[in-house]
Structure formats: C-alpha cells, structure tokens
C-alpha cells in the first residue's frame, strides 16, 4: 500500500527496487554485492610495473582519441578520450609505440596485455579465451610491463 501511495505522490509508475541485473549480481554472493578487484591488483606488480600500466592505459586512450572510441572496464567506468594534446602526452604516446615495438620483437602478443590493462579483463578469462593454462596471461602481462621504458628515458 505504501508503494502505491508513493507512486501516486511522485508520479513514478515503474516498480521500485533494484534492476534485474543488479538483483542477479547480488544473489551470486549471498545477497551482498561483491567488491570487484581490478586484475592488476591481483598480479601484485612492483612500483615500476604499476606505473608502466598506468602510462600504457593513458597512452592507449590518447592513441584512440581521434577515433572517438570509448572503452568500458568491468568496474563500470567508461573512459572517454579528450582531443587536446599536450607535450607530455606526445612523449607518452612515443613511449607506447616504442613499447609496442619491443613487445613485437620479443614475440609477446599485445591483445591480452591491453585487455588486462585497459579494459580490466581477468587473467583467467583471457587464459580460457586464448586456450592457455598455468597463468599464461599473468606471466605475459608482467613480461610486457618489464619491457616498458618510461617517457623520460627515451
């Protein structure tokens, strides 16, 4: 009865409560919403690797800025791209290109690495998608981040 009275006051005719997607997600963990952890947090990266991951993500967004592309992370935050370019951004893009070339020379595929860093896809999901095992994606991400050279070193 209270719901009808509230709907009459506010003019809301749709049912109140969580969306079906949110209700389905909340029942997975016993009625409580789970805190999602980014895959990079699970990899236990050292300081240089963590900084490299942040710069690679920023450079990726700078590179795709001209295409008006948006990326979606699993935590639900859409990352938009800006059109303004600064001198520091040019250095970051240059470091990204050098890093991508060094990964190609080392025969490390960039797809899974960018999926983990930019989109936040889990390592186990990528292991299954690429049909690999024994933590292949986690080892690949660590190896690729070790190849990154910061912009000030180039």
């Amino acid at each position: 009865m209270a719901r009808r009275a509230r709907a009459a006051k506010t003019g809301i005719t749709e049912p109140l409560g969580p969306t079906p997607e949110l209700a389905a997600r909340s029942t997975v963990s016993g009625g409580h919403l789970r805190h999602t952890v980014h895959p990079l947090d699970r990899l236990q990266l050292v300081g240089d690797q963590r900084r490299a991951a942040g710069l690679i993500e920023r450079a990726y967004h700078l590179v795709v800025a001209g295409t008006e592309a948006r990326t979606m992370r699993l935590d639900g935050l859409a990352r938009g791209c800006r059109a303004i370019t600064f001198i520091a951004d040019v250095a970051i893009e240059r470091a990204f290109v050098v890093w991508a070339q060094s990964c190609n020379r080392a025969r490390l595929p960039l797809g899974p690495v960018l999926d983990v860093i930019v989109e936040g896809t889990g390592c186990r999901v990528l292991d299954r998608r690429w049909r690999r095992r024994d933590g292949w994606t986690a080892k690949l991400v660590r190896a690729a981040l070790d190849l990154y050279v910061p912009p000030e070193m180039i």
Side-chain angles (χ1 to χ4, degrees), residues 6 9 32 35 50 52-54 57 74 86 101 103 109 123 125-126 128-129 133 140 145 147 150 152 154:
R6 194 175 334 157
K9 275 186 184 178
H32 301 289
H35 176 69
R50 171 64 69 181
E57 181 180 10
L74 293 179
F86 298 103
Q101 291 171 347
C103 285
C123 293
V125 172
L126 290 170
R128 276 180 266 147
R129 188 181 300 162
R133 46 175 84 169
L140 176 69
L145 290 176
L147 292 178
E152 57 269 6
I154 294 178

Side-chain angles (χ1 to χ4, degrees), residues 91-139:
I92 291 172
E93 284 183 38
R94 189 177 310 125
F96 178 79
V97 170
V98 169
W99 171 73
Q101 291 171 347
S102 63
C103 285
N104 286 335
R105 279 193 298 274
R107 300 207 178 265
L108 299 175
L110 286 177
V113 177
L114 291 176
D115 283 345
V116 170
I117 293 173
V118 177
E119 295 181 9
T121 308
C123 293
R124 288 183 188 171
V125 172
L126 290 170
D127 282 346
R128 276 180 266 147
R129 188 181 300 162
W130 284 72
R131 296 182 180 147
R132 304 294 175 105
R133 46 175 84 169
D134 298 328
W136 174 78
T137 305
K139 293 174 189 172

Side-chain angles (χ1 to χ4, degrees), residues 70-73 75-80:
R70 293 176 68 87
T71 58
M72 189 68 170
R73 293 177 64 155
D75 57 7
L77 299 175
R79 306 285 175 149

